[in-house]
Structure formats: structure tokens, C-alpha cells
Amino acid sequence: QRKVDLTGSVGSVGGKTLADRKSTSIATSLQGAVAGVTVTRSGNEPSNEGGDIKVRGITTIGDSTPLVIIDGVPGDMSSVSSEDIENISVLKDAASASIYGSRAAAGVILITTKRGQKERINISYNIEYGSEIPTANVDFVDITRYLEMTNELRYNDNPSGGLYQDYSQDQVENWLEYNQTDPNKYPNTDWRKLVLKDSALRCMHRVNISGGSKVIQTNASFTYNKTDGLYNGLDYKRYMTKVNNDINITDWLHASIDFSFNKKEANSPVTDPYTLVRYLPPIYAATWDDGRIADGKGANIYALVNYGGFNKKDIFQFSGKAQIDIKPLPSLRFSAIFAPNFVITKQKSFQKELQWTTAEDPDVIGGYLISSTKLSEYRND
């Protein structure tokens, strides 16, 4: 219908607009694209494709997640590549969303994917490379200032103890010099630079085949995405295949057969470093001078991330749609739709009992490292 004839509120955004935003997440691409739609993310992991989507805020008691319809069938927004989308329409109020009943209480997001045209076969290949860069990082003081601040802290608690209660004046003034000759006894560890990266690479490869005749039109695509994380062992891969077929049997009988297959691989260390990396002081060593794992005050986040184990999650998703349309009259259509959807999730978590040895003897076990789940114990200590 013409927009002037609509009584409800509908927002629309083209697929090219979403693709130009170069995001692997459709939810993220919708940020700021449609008035009245807000998107917030609950985490920064590459595998966090979704987001908390609200259409005109919280509009109902309970679940305020809008209903997602993909080519006429309820589906998962993360199962579609942004390059496969023709357009997205958002039904914002009760008048426009009423045809979907109670499921539309929080709004409806209609996603239409690209289909084949009656033209010669077109084959395209796209490749993109980019990087994920943090908006801001916390800056830390250097080792000398840390020693001074620790002494100031103790002095404020107990002025009678003097200015150098934890670290002597010689240590404060000469720690960096001593570090050059004896790094095991006088460490100078920048935990953030040791564990976190300044940027993370990502890439996308996509092959698309589109075309057809008067009888059959096909649009098929294969998309591969990989996004690295900001620390070792964190990455996310997606393999997405989407095929849409339209079959014009007669003037009054039309059929369509669509299917998609997605595989998602999410890898991460068993320990999230973002908390501990901000609390570990620079006076504790991550490794001894010969490369062996050091104690790190029992919370060596460098060792936990790189050697402490891993989480692996694989998601296999197959969805399809077979539809037959019968039009006995130009203004009357009967449709029959069969739309199966199968999801298989495979997860594995492996955590090692990671030990550290003393600086003097590699055969002497000094203790075992804690994970970030014991951060409260570490902070209390």
C-alpha cells in the first residue's frame, strides 16, 4: 500500500543500508537505522550476534522481544546474513502488528531476503577484511607510581608507620634498574598489553549466484565470516548457505522452495580476562626469565588465558520452506506452507589444573592458578 494509506506506524530499511554497515550482526546493523528501535548488546564477544532489541521501549509485561518473521515464517535473526536481505520492515504499534496476534505485543520485524530474477545468471564474489578496535582502554600507572601509591595508601591508614611501609625508598627509586638484571625478583608486568590486543581482525568471503528463466528463478549464496577476539583463543566463525527458488508452474499455480544451512563455531578460553587484567599489580611476574609460568600472585591471567583450557561451541542450523500458491482469481490466493527448522548444539569445556613452578627450581611446584571465578577471594586477600 501507499504510505499515506497506512493507519499504523511502519519503519523500513533497505538491505544495502544494512550491508554497508559492515557488521556481522543484523541486530547491530539496525542500531539507529529505524526510528523507535533501540538495540543494546550484553557482551563484546565476537559470537554475541544478537542484541536486546526493543521497539518503542518496553511495551508489555514479560518478554518485550519483538517477533521476527523471515520470508513469512517466524525465525532467528542471526540465521540470516545481512548481504542476503532485500529489506526489513518494522511494525511498531498494535494497528500494524495486529495481524500476528498476541505474539506481536512487542512489535514485529519483517525480513525479506533476496530472490532470483528473470535474467541471465550472475555470479559474484566479494571479499572484505577489517579490524575491530576498542572504543577506549583503561590507562594504568607505571611501576614506580604504583609503588609510591601503595606506600601512600599504607601511610594514610597508619601515619606512624612512616612513608615506606610496603616498599623501601631504594625499591621505589631503583625498581626499574633492578628489573634489568633480576626480572624474577623485580618484575615489571603490563598485564593489559600482555593479554589484550589493540585490535582484532575480521574477514568475509561471499559467493552469490542469481538468475533464471520464466519458469524457475534462483538466488543462492555462500558466506563465510571470521572475527577474532581481543585476546588469544577467542574467535568466531560462520558458514552460511542460503538458496531461494521460485517456480512458475502455470499462471495460477506458483511454488517456492527455500532452504538454508548454517554452521557457527565459537571458541574462547575458560577464563575471561577482562576483570583480572585490571586488578593484577605490575609487581608480579607472568613468566620467569626462562619462559616458565610464574605465580602472578596465584591469579596469572596470562597463563589462564593461553594455557588454562578452552570452551568450544558448535551450532548447526537447517531451515527450509516449501510453499504452494494457488490464485483462482487475481484478488484471491490460497497458500500452503511447510517450514521445518532444526538446530543442533554441541558444546565442550575443558579446564586444566594449571600449576606454576618457583623461579629457582623448575621441578618445585609453587602452587596452582585460580580462575576469574575466585576473583573475590583474590581481592579480599
Side-chain angles (χ1 to χ4, degrees), residues 39-340:
V39 181
T40 56
R41 296 183 67 186
S42 58
N44 62 344
E45 298 84 0
S47 59
N48 185 15
E49 291 183 302
D52 186 13
I53 303 177
K54 294 291 186 294
V55 178
R56 290 186 172 177
I58 298 176
T59 56
T60 182
I61 298 175
D63 188 8
S64 291
T65 303
L67 174 66
V68 177
I69 304 292
I70 303 174
D71 290 334
V73 178
D76 179 12
M77 188 181 297
S78 65
S79 66
V80 184
S81 173
S82 58
E83 289 80 8
D84 285 328
I85 294 178
E86 184 69 31
N87 60 72
I88 293 181
S89 297
V90 181
L91 311 183
K92 304 178 187 179
D93 60 11
S96 57
S98 59
I99 57 175
Y100 294 98
S102 60
R103 294 179 300 172
V108 182
I109 298 177
L110 304 176
I111 299 177
T112 302
T113 60
K114 296 178 181 178
R115 312 196 70 84
Q117 303 295 327
K118 298 177 183 179
E119 56 185 20
R120 69 177 67 181
I121 296 177
N122 294 319
I123 302 176
S124 63
Y125 171 67
N126 296 332
I127 180 172
E128 295 178 3
Y129 280 90
S131 61
E132 304 280 346
I133 302 174
T135 304
N137 278 319
V138 178
D139 292 325
F140 298 96
V141 298
D142 59 20
I143 184 69
T144 301
R145 184 58 186 144
Y146 171 79
L147 299 176
E148 292 173 347
M149 292 175 65
T150 303
N151 282 336
E152 290 173 7
L153 175 66
R154 301 294 181 260
Y155 177 81
N156 290 336
D157 291 338
N158 180 28
S160 62
L163 296 175
Y164 300 96
Q165 298 184 36
D166 273 8
Y167 304 101
S168 66
Q169 183 176 359
D170 177 63
Q171 288 178 317
V172 173
E173 295 177 353
N174 300 297
W175 189 285
L176 288 176
E177 182 180 346
Y178 296 153
N179 169 261
Q180 302 299 317
T181 57
D182 192 357
N184 290 343
K185 186 176 180 181
Y186 299 94
N188 181 20
T189 306
D190 189 332
W191 292 98
R192 191 191 72 185
K193 290 185 178 180
L194 191 64
V195 176
L196 302 181
K197 305 174 185 177
D198 293 329
S199 62
L201 293 177
R202 74 177 186 185
C203 69
M204 187 273 287
H205 297 265
R206 174 178 168 82
V207 178
N208 183 258
I209 302 175
S210 179
S213 62
K214 293 182 179 180
V215 178
I216 300 176
Q217 299 89 44
T218 299
N219 187 82
S221 66
F222 172 78
T223 305
Y224 166 76
N225 293 103
K226 181 183 179 183
T227 304
D228 291 332
L230 292 174
Y231 49 89
N232 288 338
L234 181 66
D235 63 65
Y236 182 59
K237 300 175 185 177
R238 292 194 310 175
Y239 305 84
M240 310 183 74
T241 302
K242 175 71 174 174
V243 179
N244 290 345
N245 298 287
D246 294 306
I247 305 172
N248 300 311
I249 302 173
T250 66
D251 292 340
W252 53 271
L253 183 60
H254 174 84
S256 63
I257 301 175
D258 306 340
F259 67 88
S260 64
F261 175 77
N262 301 329
K263 180 186 178 184
K264 304 175 184 180
E265 301 177 3
N267 300 295
S268 64
V270 293
T271 303
D272 187 333
Y274 276 104
T275 302
L276 268 177
V277 79
R278 289 170 168 81
Y279 287 109
L280 283 176
I283 60 171
Y284 298 103
T287 58
W288 303 126
D289 55 2
D290 58 1
R292 288 180 293 114
I293 296 175
D295 63 331
K297 201 184 179 182
N300 189 337
I301 192 61
Y302 166 79
L304 289 169
V305 167
N306 290 279
Y307 312 111
F310 62 87
N311 293 318
K312 183 176 178 60
K313 183 177 182 180
D314 295 336
I315 300 176
F316 303 87
Q317 182 178 30
F318 173 81
S319 60
K321 187 186 77 167
Q323 179 172 341
I324 296 178
D325 297 323
I326 301 175
K327 296 184 67 174
L329 299 172
S331 58
L332 178 63
R333 183 180 67 179
F334 297 96
S335 297
I337 300 175
F338 174 67

